[in-house]
C-alpha cells in the first residue's frame, strides 16, 4: 500500500496472523479423532500404559522431547514448565523422551521441571505416534482424548524456531535477531577467574 510505513506493515501482518490463529483454532476443535492403541512406557516407578498417563483426566498432552542431549528441546521444556500447574487443573501432561527414566528424572531435577515423565525408549510409540510422519523422534506435542478405555489422537504440532509454543523466538525478533543467530545453552553462568566468596564447596 502506498505510503505504508514498516510499522504499519508490522501491525497489518500481526492482525493477519491473529486471524489465521483463530482459523487454526476452529479447525483443531473440529479435527477428527483417530483411535490408537494403549502404548507402554517405563518410569522410575515401573511400567505404565498410555491410559495410565491420563490419571483421572479425559485429555492428555504428551510432550515429545528428544532427550537431554538436545538444547532446543530443553529450551521448550523450560518454557512449558511454568504452565504445568495451569494445565494440570484440567489436563494430564507428560514429557516423553527416549532417555532412561532415571536419567530423565535426574535431568528434570537439575532444570526444576515439574513434568510427569515417561520413557518410550525409541520404540513402538514414537515410531507410530511421531508429531510428523516419517520422523520417529521429532519434538512436539500431541493431544490425546480418552473415552473409557478407548484412546484417540486429536491434534499434534511440531516444535521448532518461530513456532507458537516457545515465545523466546518472538521476543528475539523484536531485537532483529533471527533463529540462526542465537542458540540456547544449558547454563549461562560463566565462572569468573577469581571468586570473591572464596570459592569453597563450588559444584560443577
Amino acid at each position: 500500500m502506498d505510503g505504508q510505513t514498516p510499522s504499519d506493515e508490522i501491525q497489518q501482518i500481526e492482525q493477519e496472523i491473529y486471524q489465521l490463529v483463530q482459523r487454526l483454532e476452529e479447525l483443531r476443535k473440529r479435527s477428527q479423532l483417530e483411535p490408537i492403541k494403549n502404548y507402554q512406557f517405563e518410569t522410575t516407578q515401573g511400567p505404565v500404559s498410555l491410559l495410565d498417563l491420563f490419571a483421572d483426566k479425559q485429555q492428555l498432552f504428551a510432550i515429545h522431547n528428544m532427550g537431554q542431549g538436545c538444547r532446543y528441546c530443553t529450551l521448550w521444556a523450560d518454557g512449558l514448565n511454568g504452565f504445568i500447574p495451569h494445565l494440570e487443573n484440567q489436563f494430564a501432561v507428560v514429557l516423553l523422551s527416549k532417555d532412561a527414566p532415571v536419567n530423565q528424572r535426574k535431568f528434570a531435577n537439575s532444570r526444576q521441571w515439574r513434568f510427569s515423565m515417561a520413557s518410550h525408549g525409541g520404540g513402538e510409540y514414537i515410531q507410530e505416534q511421531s508429531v510428523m510422519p516419517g520422523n520417529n523422534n521429532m519434538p512436539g506435542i500431541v493431544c490425546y482424548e480418552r473415552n473409557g478405555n478407548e484412546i484417540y489422537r486429536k491434534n499434534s504440532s511440531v516444535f521448532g524456531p518461530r513456532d507458537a509454543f516457545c515465545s523466546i523466538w518472538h521476543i528475539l525478533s523484536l531485537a532483529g535477531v533471527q533463529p540462526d543467530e542465537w542458540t540456547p545453552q544449558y547454563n549461562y553462568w560463566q565462572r569468573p577467574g577469581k571468586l570473591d566468596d572464596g570459592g569453597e564447596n563450588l559444584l560443577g
Side-chain angles (χ1 to χ4, degrees):
M1 182 182 296
D2 291 341
Q4 188 179 53
T5 67
S7 180
D8 293 333
E9 188 174 3
I10 287 172
Q11 292 184 26
Q12 179 182 333
I13 291 172
E14 288 176 338
Q15 181 60 32
E16 291 172 357
I17 291 172
Y18 178 75
Q19 292 170 348
L20 285 172
V21 169
Q22 287 183 307
R23 176 61 177 157
L24 181 59
E25 290 171 350
E26 293 172 1
L27 292 172
R28 283 175 172 165
K29 188 176 182 67
R30 300 202 309 264
S31 63
Q32 296 296 310
L33 297 176
E34 173 192 351
I36 65 166
K37 57 190 171 187
N38 190 19
Y39 294 91
Q40 301 297 307
F41 305 89
E42 292 293 330
T43 73
T44 53
Q45 288 77 45
V48 298
S49 69
L50 184 59
L51 200 57
D52 293 330
L53 296 175
F54 279 83
D56 61 347
K57 301 296 195 296
Q58 295 301 115
Q59 291 179 300
L60 166 70
F61 287 117
I63 298 167
H64 289 194
N65 187 286
M66 293 179 71
Q68 62 180 312
C70 178
R71 287 173 291 173
Y72 287 89
C73 287
T74 300
L75 173 67
W76 263 256
D78 282 346
L80 294 170
N81 182 58
F83 292 129
I84 292 300
H86 302 284
L87 290 170
E88 288 184 336
N89 184 55
Q90 181 171 342
F91 309 95
V93 182
V94 63
L95 187 146
L96 304 172
S97 78
K98 66 182 182 300
D99 293 345
V102 65
N103 294 334
Q104 286 183 325
R105 181 44 54 194
K106 183 178 179 180
F107 189 65
N109 289 346
S110 75
R111 308 299 299 185
Q112 299 182 351
W113 289 349
R114 294 175 283 186
F115 300 101
S116 296
M117 304 187 76
S119 173
H120 54 66
E124 185 180 44
Y125 169 82
I126 198 63
Q127 293 169 17
E128 297 178 355
Q129 290 297 311
S130 177
V131 292
M132 179 180 290
N135 292 270
N136 64 14
N137 198 23
M138 195 73 177
I141 187 168
V142 183
C143 180
Y144 296 107
E145 292 189 5
R146 65 177 294 182
N147 183 2
N149 290 328
E150 300 297 321
I151 306 172
Y152 302 88
R153 177 168 169 151
K154 182 169 178 60
N155 286 299
S156 66
S157 189
V158 174
F159 288 167
R162 298 189 177 99
D163 73 18
F165 300 96
C166 186
S167 61
I168 197 167
W169 305 104
H170 306 286
I171 296 171
L172 290 172
S173 76
L174 294 173
V177 177
Q178 301 294 312
D180 61 356
E181 298 174 322
W182 182 85
T183 302
Q185 305 298 317
Y186 288 114
N187 192 327
Y188 293 93
W189 182 71
Q190 298 296 316
R191 185 182 303 180
K194 178 180 180 297
L195 289 168
D196 294 328
D197 63 6
E200 293 86 359
N201 302 316
L202 184 66
L203 302 177

